[in-house]
Amino acid sequence: MSHQPDRQEYNITAYTENQVGLLNRIAIIFSRRKINIESLNVSPSEIEGIHRFNIVITETEDVVSKLAGQIEKQVEVLKVYYNTNADVIWQEMALYKVPTDVIAEKASVERLLRENGARAVVIRKDYTVFETTGHREETDALIAVLQPYGLIEFVRSARIAIIKGSNGFNSKLREFERREPGEDVAENEFLNSRDAVFTM
Amino acid sequence: MLNNEPTTIAEPEALAAAAPSDMEEALAPNATGAVAVLNILLAEGVDTIFGYPGGAIIPIYDALYDFKDQLNHVLVRHEQGGIHAAQGYARASGRVGVVFATSGPGATNLVTGLADAQIDSTPLVCITGQVFAHLLGTDAFQETDIINITTPVTKWNYQVTKAEEIPEALAKAFYIARSGRPGPVLIDITKNAQLQPFHFAPYKPCTHIRSYRPKPIVRTEYLQQAAALINQAQRPFVLWGQGVILGAAEQEFKAFIEKSGIPAAWTILGAGALPTNHPLNVGMLGMHGNYGPNVLTNECDVLIAIGMRFDDRVTGRLDKYARQAQIIHLDIDPTEIGKNVTTAVPVWGDCKETLPLLTALVEAKSHSEWHQRFQGYMAEEVDAVIKDELFPTGEELTMGEVLQQLNELTQGEAVIVTDVGQHQMVACRYARFNHSRSNITSGGLGTMGFALPAAIGAKFGAAERPVVAIIGDGGIQMTIQELGTIMQTGVDVKIIILNNRFLGMVRQWQELFHTRRYSFVDIASPDYVTVASGYHIAGQRVEAREDLAYGLRQMLEHPGSFLLEVMVAKENNIFPMVPQGCSVAEIRLR
Ligand SMILES: Cc1ncc(C[n+]2csc(CCOP(=O)(O)OP(=O)(O)O)c2C)c(N)n1
Ligand SMILES: [Mg+2]
């Protein structure tokens, strides 16, 4: 086999219409190529009626750029961006359910929670639910901490990511709604970034 | 027994909608969903529908009863036949093909045709009936999740569950199917939506969807880069595909070729965009394409790809494909640019717009020495392959001589519809085309069974042109039931079965690459002429060379459909051939 080119985590951000079936249309772009989606978040964006997908995969840039193109090609997708982890601010949220009596008895647990930036969301007689947000390693670290104290249940959200270099989507959307949008929106980013090829 | 038929005709909600309150008087129901569907088809310029009824689409068929004078509904014998016919119609006419099918098995029978239309960019609108909305997800009789089944094989699909959604859904369907890079769209309409009376406002076609950009903005700097490369090229080579035909850019393409003087070769879906005997047309690309175009792909210095997608049957081994060349790629679909080959200059746009701009920037040249290279290879190929194929001296008939004689008679005026296999490659290689939209074949999917129904559709789409289907003895048996459609509609389709008593293309691979282990390729045939006569279709079988010309003439002169079975050599192979995994330069002549 030829050598495996550099793969890394990429964050794909897609702005889409809020349409039944679109999730499947996007998911099969990955499954068809036997690419595993590591994290997927779909939620309403800041704009009424527009949804935002955050998809995390580990692949080479060549593959990611092609996937992004395939997603953007779908009729109900407005715009797709892809970024490495260095180009985004990202967070995952985690919830931890632990027995309240253990927490109450062991002051060390409380300290550990504070050190890990966790916050109590619900405190009941039988259990307490803590919440923390952060990178994978951070939420993982707290699991390791709580495990010896009888961690009952754990859940982690998909990743959400803000693109450092983005100017937001509000003004872009107005462009999309126009029949003749400006170059910025109508032009294809994957082609724009190819200027380097023209060194003839 | 139609056990899926409810005893009441309208759903309670439909009846409620039929009785508007005073306030809503202005928006009183004036049509059912079904009637709206048919009015919209008329407004979209549809004249022909290929379809098959069933329980979940009965309301639309009921409405169709009153539209018989305005809409020609062709009752096919199988929904796969229906969708291939719609493909043939679309490919021959340049218009959107329309299909009706019922839910469940009717809808699933469309899947092969959708996949075929998706990969070959054929504009279709398929309307399927669906169970009542309140039954969705209950495993109701003939319920199938056709939206999810067809998502990978449609450009867009949508399920309508209320009559009010019909106008917008269908308007979008037609717009999406035919704009940008065309493709198939499926609209699934639940039975209650078909039955429901609603206020059907004057129909407005769709011209804009904010999330959809079918027409890219053409950027002049890319065109300048492309022209600069072309103008300094010593050995430029043009590859063109179906994009030229889909963009209706045949004239613009010809002008570009003629000014630049660049030799041009075609993919099988591009065939006919430039006439076969145009001096700059150097032949067919790909696995069974011509010798020169394949070999010289790896010698040109600038490769200009126009509306083609570097399919693996065209490129052969990719890491040995045109590595020496700078590639300029003109395409309307940005995801095709850079998908398979590294592109030096991406010219993203509709080639009807980009080609004239490029033509204006390129210098007039003739490249005569370079052309001689193609001619040299052609002479070799004629000697090694073509001569014996078209003018054989052996006893057995060849597929090539059938095409040769057919060309003599049709003079390149016919629409040729082929199935998949050896006969397809022979037909694409040797058929003469004077006009665009003359070669209708299943390229990307390679769907056996395509030709007979597609030929029927092609005739409906191009009634003034002779339509000749060329089919293998394997493929004809996949959709032979469509002889019934021919019988009932009286459509005039000429059918040539090139009978080699083998699944020939598979047999050829088994011979060449699997030590002649002929595993399940010796397929038996019925007596086709007798079968045809059962459908009241005239026919003739030709077994000897001296009967061939007469048989072909008889077929072409016959008023109405005619089936001509030609018994050809059993074990002929198609050459040249780029074996799988080899580079185009390793093309074999024998
Ligand atoms: C639906 C379908 N099934 C199987 C194949 C694989 N296949 C490709 S060519 C071929 C043989 C076709 O035989 P025939 O129709 O007799 O044509 P010939 O090659 O003999 O001209 C087969 C089986 C296919 N292309 N499509
Ligand atoms: Mg055969």
Side-chain angles (χ1 to χ4, degrees), chain B residues 231-300:
Chain B
N231 288 337
Q232 70 179 27
Q234 298 302 306
R235 297 178 310 283
F237 185 24
V238 164
L239 317 181
W240 91 83
Q242 194 191 200
V244 173
I245 298 170
L246 294 172
E250 293 90 346
Q251 290 312 314
E252 291 79 1
F253 176 66
K254 187 157 164 270
F256 169 69
I257 294 293
E258 287 177 351
K259 182 176 181 193
S260 64
I262 304 176
W266 39 274
T267 70
I268 62 170
L269 291 196
L274 193 69
T276 307
N277 54 11
H278 189 284
L280 294 172
N281 184 340
V282 295
M284 173 169 148
L285 293 164
M287 184 173 271
H288 296 291
N290 290 115
Y291 195 32
N294 274 302
V295 171
L296 295 174
T297 293
N298 276 10
E299 289 184 35
C300 66

Side-chain angles (χ1 to χ4, degrees), chain B residues 56 101-104 107 126-131 136 143-148 150 157-162 165-166 169-170 185-191 193-194:
Chain B
T102 193
S103 66
C126 299
I127 295 173
T128 49
Q130 181 57 283
V131 301
L136 287 171
E143 182 196 0
T144 187
D145 182 1
I146 201 63
I147 292 295
N148 277 306
T150 60
N157 60 11
Y158 186 77
Q159 185 175 62
V160 170
T161 51
K162 296 190 201 78
E165 294 179 281
I166 287 173
L170 279 180
V185 171
L186 182 136
I187 302 292
D188 192 35
I189 309 180
T190 58
K191 195 163 178 180
Q194 300 170 41

Side-chain angles (χ1 to χ4, degrees), chain B residues 235-554:
Chain B
R235 297 178 310 283
F237 185 24
V238 164
L239 317 181
W240 91 83
Q242 194 191 200
V244 173
I245 298 170
L246 294 172
E250 293 90 346
Q251 290 312 314
E252 291 79 1
F253 176 66
K254 187 157 164 270
F256 169 69
I257 294 293
E258 287 177 351
K259 182 176 181 193
S260 64
I262 304 176
W266 39 274
T267 70
I268 62 170
L269 291 196
L274 193 69
T276 307
N277 54 11
H278 189 284
L280 294 172
N281 184 340
V282 295
M284 173 169 148
L285 293 164
M287 184 173 271
H288 296 291
N290 290 115
Y291 195 32
N294 274 302
V295 171
L296 295 174
T297 293
N298 276 10
E299 289 184 35
C300 66
D301 57 357
V302 174
L303 196 68
I304 305 122
I306 304 174
M308 56 84 75
R309 59 185 178 84
F310 294 101
D311 178 81
D312 58 271
R313 283 294 188 270
V314 162
T315 63
R317 188 171 157 169
L318 210 51
D319 61 0
K320 289 187 176 173
Y321 181 80
R323 303 301 282 195
Q324 79 296 339
Q326 302 244 51
I327 296 177
I328 299 168
H329 195 171
L330 285 71
D331 208 287
I332 197 165
D333 179 352
T335 66
E336 288 301 343
I337 297 172
K339 185 181 82 175
N340 293 336
V341 298
T342 307
T343 309
V345 185
V347 182
W348 184 31
D350 182 343
C351 62
K352 192 157 181 87
E353 289 172 26
T354 53
L355 279 171
L357 296 169
L358 192 55
T359 306
L361 297 174
V362 298
E363 293 159 11
K365 289 197 178 160
S366 67
H367 297 290
S368 46
E369 269 175 48
W370 176 229
H371 273 283
Q372 278 165 24
R373 302 282 313 278
F374 285 89
Q375 284 153 18
Y377 279 108
M378 185 48 92
E380 263 187 77
E381 185 178 342
V382 166
D383 247 19
V385 179
I386 298 176
K387 191 166 49 69
D388 291 337
E389 182 65 40
L390 300 190
F391 308 101
T393 48
E395 196 183 318
E396 293 181 307
L397 285 170
T398 65
M399 293 183 177
E401 71 183 305
V402 179
L403 264 294
Q404 166 65 23
Q405 303 248 2
L406 182 68
N407 285 340
E408 297 283 327
L409 295 168
T410 61
Q411 290 295 316
E413 291 295 313
V415 176
I416 304 288
V417 186
T418 77
D419 215 76
V420 174
Q422 292 185 312
H423 64 280
Q424 174 190 34
M425 292 299 114
V426 168
C428 290
R429 282 176 57 81
Y430 299 114
R432 202 164 111 199
F433 301 114
N434 299 344
H435 309 287
S436 186
R437 298 194 174 279
S438 294
N439 186 35
I440 298 176
T441 190
S442 168
L445 204 66
T447 305
M448 282 173 71
F450 175 82
L452 183 60
I456 294 170
K459 186 64 185 179
F460 281 106
E464 69 296 347
R465 301 188 60 191
V467 173
V468 181
I470 295 174
I471 315 180
D473 48 317
I476 185 74
Q477 295 188 66
M478 284 209 174
T479 48
I480 197 163
Q481 76 284 348
E482 298 308 327
L483 290 175
T485 308
I486 294 176
M487 171 183 71
Q488 193 164 0
T489 58
V491 66
D492 178 1
V493 174
K494 313 304 184 191
I495 305 155
I496 300 177
I497 299 175
L498 295 179
N499 189 347
N500 54 7
R501 286 148 287 164
F502 264 125
L503 298 174
M505 187 57 94
V506 179
R507 186 209 55 75
Q508 174 169 347
W509 283 50
Q510 290 178 344
E511 177 189 333
L512 297 178
F513 311 118
H514 297 272
T515 61
R516 280 181 169 268
R517 286 154 57 88
Y518 289 169
S519 182
F520 300 97
V521 287
D522 55 340
I523 188 166
S525 280
D527 178 339
Y528 292 113
V529 176
T530 303
V531 171
S533 82
Y535 284 99
H536 310 292
I537 295 168
Q540 184 70 53
R541 176 197 268 213
V542 169
E543 303 192 41
R545 183 158 297 131
E546 56 268 28
D547 300 330
L548 178 59
Y550 176 72
L552 286 167
R553 205 170 309 116
Q554 203 186 0

